[in-house]
Each structure stands twice: as structure tokens, then as C-alpha cells.
Amino acid sequence: MIEIKIKFLGGCGEIGKSAILVDDKIILDYGLQTAGDDPFPLMSDCDYLLISHGHLDHCGSAPLLRKTKNVFTTAPTADFTRLLLDDSIRLNNKKSGKNRHIYSTDDVDLLMSKLKTVCYNDEFKIDDYSCTFLDAGHIVGSSSILIKKDISLFYSSDTNSIDTKLIRGSNGFPGADVGIIESTYFGEDHTPRKELEDRFIKSIKETMEDGGSVIIPCFAINRTQEILSILGEHNISPYLDGMGIIATNIILNHPSFIKNSSLLKMSFNNASLVNRKIRKRIFDEPSIIVTTAGMANGGPVLNYLKKIYKDPKSKLMFTGYQVEGTNGRMILEKGLVKLNRNLVKIEATVEQYDFSSHSGDKELKSMVKRMADKGVNLFFTVHGEKEKSEAFAEYIKEEIGCKAIAPCTNDTYNISVA
Ligand SMILES: [Zn+2]
């Protein structure tokens, strides 16, 4: 009897702290839940850690795996992991009395010393397993991971099958016996990119013509560069502030991982990088500012908001989903934000644009169909709200005709083939 054992350590029925243990030996992602009171995945030891991409919900708890012998990931993900972990420690230290972190910079150093970078589509061996990282199309350097021994396992991680301005969509599926797939946007389709970009640019131009300013909150990694490239293509030169500057430099160091590095380079060169001197005079005249944090939950964006929130001619243009409990969500739902400890009403126009880096409903459905056609007969649906992961598993059972499970954290499955 050939068997593979899969234990879900986190990221089930939720978005955050993704972590999957395979055969008590290999962990796929070891993330952090940045919202809520339960930040870490279940504790476990493993010999090897494979990190799919540079988002905290996939790499944010990695330093806790101190006994791991080796860590594998792509070159951009290695750089993003360092950037995010250092930032996470810094933010935690700032929050006095709230010691959420149980790892230090030394732990991050140790993790980085074990890191080996791999290229897309190059099969490598760890013990008896063959592993391959495949382009997941989610963010720069993001990967789906294929692990083969007697039974093969494909972990989609976060994935996007459509092209965006910055990166190509995921391509091809190599075939496997078991699939673990994300369900973030099951049941929801995204606005087509071209339509979204046109609407976004039109709104910016109208605001400038009316004499208003525009604040564009963006995640540092990938979203900032996507927005910079779109603006650059339309000859719009914004100010750029926050961690997105470092992330852009990282991405420009890995040009082969993006679609059009000269467009990003040109757009970055045309942007005015904000320093203390410049920061004071922004908004002396109508300006566009691209800045962190993407959900307005800290970072320079709040300082800029203080300057424009009373101005009905100005706009705050969110570029992605705003999680429950964030400033961004409160602004969208109630038109209120906390500035200088006061809750204030935003009189500037607030807009939201769905520049998602995840597959929508249509793409997820077509992905499971392709996977089933190539041999997957058991699916696990993870990384989504509970109802979505369960609905996706139901869909796979009913429409694709394969076994599908929306697992819970701590569930273990021994999968065998005769
Ligand atoms: Zn992600």
C-alpha cells in the first residue's frame, strides 16, 4: 500500500496562517494570521519547509520552525520573506505590551541561512521526494508546488490564471493524484482587467482636472508595482511613499519574473520617491500618491489622509479587498476613519478597485476541471472563508465528479492507492 499523509496546520476555512504538513517531514508554507487573536499555525517540527510566496499569511511564522534543515523558495520570495519578517518584528516592537511575536531577528537570520532558491519548473530532490515550483501567477515569484513520491500532490497556493500588467497568469498544470487548492474567490468573478484599468485611469484624470488630489493605498509587494506600471503606461507620474519603494527595487533585481521590466523601470523612474523634505509639500498642488498600507491600517497613507479627508474634490482609491476590522473596511462601510485618535468623517470621495491577484470563480472552476482531466481525483479546498471552501468542495463533487473535502485545521488524512 502506498500512502501519503497530509495534516492541515492552519489556513482552513480562513485566509491566514496557511500551513500544511506532508508525511511529518515537509511543510508547505508556515504563515501568520495578521488579524485576530490566534496568529500562529499549529506547532510542528519538520525537516524541510517550502515557501510558496512572499505574503505574511504564507511565510510569517517560518522563523518558528527552528529545527528545519532546509528551506526552499524562489529568489524573489526569499527577498520578500526577509523584508516582511523584519517589518513584522518592527511593527510588533512598536505595539507596546502586545507581544504577539515569539521570534526575533536572530531567528529570521537563522531561517535565511537555511534558504535555498529554486527556479520555476526545475525538479529537485529532497530525500525521496521530487519537488517542483511552478509559476502561480499570484505575485512576483509566487509558486504552486508539486511534490512527487509514490503519490503526487499539487498545492496551488494562491494563484491567478489571468495576466495582469505586471506578471503573467499561471500556466499549465503538470498532473497529480491529489490537489490542494485555494478558494478565496469561489463564487465571485472579478471585473475584466481592461475595463477596471480604464475606469481607474479615467477617475484619476477627472480628479486632477477638477483640482483634487488622489491617494492610492497599495500593498507594498506586487500591487504597488502593478499600479505604477498602469500609471506609467498612461504617462501619469505619481509620488511613491512607504515600503513599496523597497519592494520595487527587489522586483527590479529579478526582472525575469515580471512581464515587462522596462515598463516598471520607466514608471519607477518617473515616480517621485518621497523623502521628508518632499512629504511636507505634497498636496501644495493637486497630486497623486501611491503609498502603503493597502488597507490604510498604518503606514504613510494615514498622514496623507489627514490632509485630504475634508476635501470633496479629492479621492481615496483603494486597490483591493479590505479585510474586516481594518481602517479600509470602516472607511468603505461607514465613511469614517480614526485620525489623531479622533473618529472623523471622510468627505473626499472613496472608491474601490478590484485589482485582485487571485483567480476568480470562473478561473477556479476551469482550473479544477483541468486538474481532474489530468488525474486529480481528490481535492482539498483551503484558503478561503469557511462557506466558500465548503461550497467549492461541493461544486467539485457535484460538477466535476471527484472527491473533495474542505478540511479543518488539525485534520489529518492518510491517502492511499492500492
Ligand atoms: Zn498571497
Side-chain angles (χ1 to χ4, degrees):
M1 176 98 65
I2 302 164
E3 263 195 352
I4 189 169
K5 181 178 165 188
I6 301 171
K7 181 174 182 183
F8 293 91
L9 304 174
C12 298
E14 66 174 346
I15 296 168
K17 56 177 174 183
S18 288
I20 300 158
L21 177 65
V22 179
D23 284 345
D24 297 317
K25 204 179 263 270
I26 300 170
I27 288 186
L28 304 172
D29 286 339
Y30 207 60
L32 183 76
Q33 175 62 279
T34 49
D37 299 324
D38 190 14
F40 305 109
L42 298 180
M43 288 297 161
S44 188
D45 277 334
C46 68
D47 293 338
Y48 306 102
L49 170 66
L50 277 52
I51 300 176
S52 68
H53 67 282
H55 275 156
L56 274 181
D57 59 332
H58 293 259
C59 68
S61 295
L64 295 175
L65 299 173
R66 296 180 180 94
K67 291 184 184 161
T68 302
K69 288 192 243 170
N70 289 126
V71 180
F72 297 90
T73 196
T74 62
T77 304
D79 290 347
F80 294 146
T81 299
R82 174 92 236 187
L83 178 70
L84 290 170
L85 294 176
D86 284 344
D87 187 58
S88 182
I89 292 173
R90 190 181 56 80
L91 284 177
N92 184 60
N93 290 343
K94 255 169 91 178
K95 285 184 203 158
S96 55
K98 243 191 161 187
N99 198 12
R100 282 160 60 90
H101 272 69
I102 45 176
Y103 59 79
S104 64
T105 304
D106 287 347
D107 293 318
V108 178
D109 289 342
L110 180 66
L111 175 84
M112 298 315 286
S113 72
K114 295 172 187 171
L115 218 139
K116 293 186 189 309
T117 56
V118 296
C119 296
Y120 285 147
N121 307 317
D122 279 359
E123 194 171 280
F124 60 97
K125 284 265 180 199
I126 44 177
D127 288 353
D128 299 337
Y129 301 83
S130 299
C131 303
T132 314
F133 278 56
L134 301 125
D135 189 348
H138 169 58
I139 62 167
V140 177
S142 70
S143 311
S144 297
I145 301 170
L146 178 70
I147 297 182
K148 284 196 282 189
K149 200 177 164 190
D150 302 313
I151 293 177
S152 53
L153 169 70
F154 177 79
Y155 168 51
S156 75
S157 187
D158 296 2
T159 183
N160 192 8
S161 59
I162 61 153
D163 279 11
T164 59
K165 194 63 69 191
L166 188 68
I167 53 172
R168 285 183 191 83
S170 60
N171 52 8
F173 167 70
D177 302 309
V178 180
I180 302 176
I181 184 161
E182 68 141 314
S183 32
T184 319
Y185 282 97
F186 181 75
E188 273 178 75
D189 274 319
H190 300 304
T191 311
R193 279 278 157 162
K194 174 83 177 71
E195 194 185 318
L196 185 73
E197 285 174 25
D198 288 351
R199 194 148 45 85
F200 179 70
I201 293 296
K202 188 165 171 263
S203 180
I204 292 174
K205 286 186 173 165
E206 281 171 2
T207 314
M208 300 305 283
E209 280 160 19
D210 289 351
S213 286
V214 179
I215 300 177
I216 308 173
C218 285
F219 303 125
I221 294 171
N222 209 84
R223 190 65 45 83
T224 292
Q225 298 74 30
E226 172 81 9
I227 296 298
L228 275 182
S229 301
I230 293 169
L231 295 175
E233 217 177 38
H234 289 85
N235 296 316
I236 297 173
S237 305
Y239 288 99
L240 180 60
D241 198 354
M243 201 167 89
I245 296 174
I246 306 173
T248 308
N249 278 315
I250 290 176
I251 290 174
L252 287 171
N253 277 337
H254 302 287
S256 65
F257 284 82
I258 59 176
K259 250 165 69 177
N260 186 346
S261 61
S262 46
L263 173 62
L264 178 60
K265 209 171 192 173
M266 181 272 284
S267 310
F268 188 48
N269 287 341
N270 287 344
S272 307
L273 307 188
V274 177
N275 56 34
R276 219 176 272 165
K277 226 160 79 192
I278 296 180
R279 193 172 284 143
K280 278 189 193 148
R281 53 180 169 82
I282 293 177
F283 298 146
D284 283 354
E285 55 188 55
S287 311
I288 301 163
I289 172 109
V290 175
T291 185
T292 46
M295 299 192 195
N297 234 17
V301 64
L302 293 175
N303 290 324
Y304 294 113
L305 252 182
K306 282 176 199 164
K307 296 191 182 175
I308 66 129
Y309 76 94
K310 283 186 188 161
D311 176 16
K313 280 198 284 189
S314 290
K315 271 184 194 156
L316 174 65
M317 296 169 70
F318 288 111
T319 54
Y321 182 74
Q322 304 296 303
V323 168
E324 186 99 45
T326 59
N327 272 331
R329 186 68 165 256
M330 184 161 70
I331 292 169
L332 283 175
E333 286 182 349
K334 299 181 179 156
L336 297 171
V337 68
K338 211 171 191 180
L339 295 174
N340 296 332
R341 297 198 186 138
N342 297 318
L343 207 55
V344 297
K345 187 171 166 14
I346 298 215
E347 283 162 48
T349 305
V350 179
E351 294 178 349
Q352 187 181 25
Y353 294 83
D354 179 16
F355 283 101
S356 175
S357 51
H358 291 264
S359 281
D361 182 75
K362 198 170 32 186
E363 292 86 25
L364 285 176
K365 285 174 176 166
S366 106
M367 185 167 173
V368 287
K369 172 85 174 66
R370 272 182 288 131
M371 288 169 73
D373 288 346
K374 281 201 161 185
V376 175
N377 52 30
L378 171 60
F379 287 89
F380 292 98
T381 54
V382 296
H383 196 287
E385 288 161 11
K386 195 167 182 285
E387 307 76 57
K388 294 203 174 187
S389 296
E390 285 172 357
F392 194 13
E394 274 311 302
Y395 170 85
I396 295 168
K397 278 191 268 186
E398 280 169 25
E399 302 294 328
I400 311 285
C402 292
K403 204 172 167 204
I405 299 165
C408 296
T409 295
N410 207 18
D411 280 357
T412 302
Y413 295 87
N414 289 296
I415 299 148
S416 56
V417 291

